[in-house]
Amino acid sequence: RDFEFKKSFIESNHVMDLELVNDQYLWAATENGIIRIDVMSEEIIRFSTSQSDQNKRLISDNFIRDLLITKNGSIWAGTKSGIAIIDTVELSAISFNSDFTARVLYQDESENIWIGTDFNGLYKIPSELIYELKSEDLFEVEGHVFESEFSDGLSSSQITSITQDTAGVLWVGTASGLNKYIDNEDTFYHYFMKDGLPSNYITGVVVDQNNNLWISSKNGISFFNQKDSSFTNYGVSDGI
């Protein structure tokens, strides 16, 4: 189906993320707020810093880096100054401000939400806390940052991707290596170019049906076989 929207109505040239809900509502993360497009009626609803006539759609930062559709149906948005949470039934939003940029959001199988930041590390919001966030009250969560004196900590505080494999293991892509989270020890095991990666800068990680990883980087794509911990790399010479 083709859609025709005036550029002035979208009000943004940059879209950082798209999420489709129930094959009807397309949510877009832009540099000028969050847009919800009803693909049936073509109605557009915006959440931004300038919704003075719709205060319930007011958010504290327009630059949206990532969107997460949570298991309870709400939408979490990572912004340059924290997070915003949208109630998709009431079409209302609340914001929680922080000093960090929430670059990537991920909800694991236990319904905890992980926030990966641009330069301030990785943070976990426990599932029991998530459903208590009904107002703009302050809250604190523990996190992980790169510290050179801890060899089993995060390899970088710049988080680029987060995913969980079928065994429940959390994988974290960073600007300096791939990190495997050892939950019962609260530590990380690292993979770098010396281990077989084509680049230390990871841009994305997905898990296939065989529980192997496909890793995008600044130097091509890598396939990680979890059974033998081997990497197979694909680059320009392979047609990428």
Side-chain angles (χ1 to χ4, degrees), residues 136-163:
E136 298 181 18
D137 295 335
L138 296 176
F139 68 94
E140 294 183 358
V141 291
E142 295 183 354
H144 300 269
V145 296
F146 169 71
E147 296 180 86
S148 58
E149 62 267 32
F150 295 107
S151 60
D152 57 359
L154 266 180
S155 63
S156 170
S157 288
Q158 188 174 356
I159 311 301
T160 58
S161 59
I162 307 169
T163 195

Side-chain angles (χ1 to χ4, degrees), residues 117-218:
T117 70
D118 252 349
F119 301 104
N120 299 95
L122 177 71
Y123 297 86
K124 173 185 174 182
I125 302 181
S127 57
E128 59 269 21
L129 176 60
I130 290 170
Y131 303 107
E132 296 176 0
L133 300 179
K134 300 298 184 182
S135 67
E136 298 181 18
D137 295 335
L138 296 176
F139 68 94
E140 294 183 358
V141 291
E142 295 183 354
H144 300 269
V145 296
F146 169 71
E147 296 180 86
S148 58
E149 62 267 32
F150 295 107
S151 60
D152 57 359
L154 266 180
S155 63
S156 170
S157 288
Q158 188 174 356
I159 311 301
T160 58
S161 59
I162 307 169
T163 195
Q164 189 174 39
D165 66 23
T166 57
V169 176
L170 196 77
W171 295 84
V172 182
T174 76
S176 183
L178 176 67
N179 291 245
K180 179 181 180 180
Y181 181 54
I182 314 301
D183 190 18
N184 61 339
E185 299 177 3
D186 198 29
T187 60
F188 294 87
Y189 186 83
H190 312 130
Y191 297 89
F192 300 105
M193 288 179 66
K194 64 182 179 63
D195 302 302
L197 282 169
S199 169
N200 284 334
Y201 197 111
I202 309 302
T203 58
V205 183
V206 295
V207 182
D208 68 20
Q209 60 185 3
N210 297 315
N211 201 34
N212 296 310
L213 307 183
W214 290 87
I215 304 155
S216 59
S217 75
K218 284 197 170 182

Side-chain angles (χ1 to χ4, degrees), residues 12-13 16 24 39 41 47-48 64 69 84 101 114-115 122 131 135 176 180 182 219 222 227 233:
S12 180
N13 289 324
M16 270 57 73
Q24 180 174 359
V39 300
S41 66
F47 296 78
S48 72
I64 312 301
I69 311 299
T101 296
W114 296 82
I115 302 175
L122 177 71
Y131 303 107
S135 67
S176 183
K180 179 181 180 180
I182 314 301
N219 190 33
S222 186
K227 291 182 179 179
N233 301 323

Side-chain angles (χ1 to χ4, degrees), residues 6 19 33 105 119 172 182 202 230 237:
K6 291 183 179 179
E19 297 289 347
L105 305 172
F119 301 104
V172 182
I182 314 301
I202 309 302
S230 65
S237 62

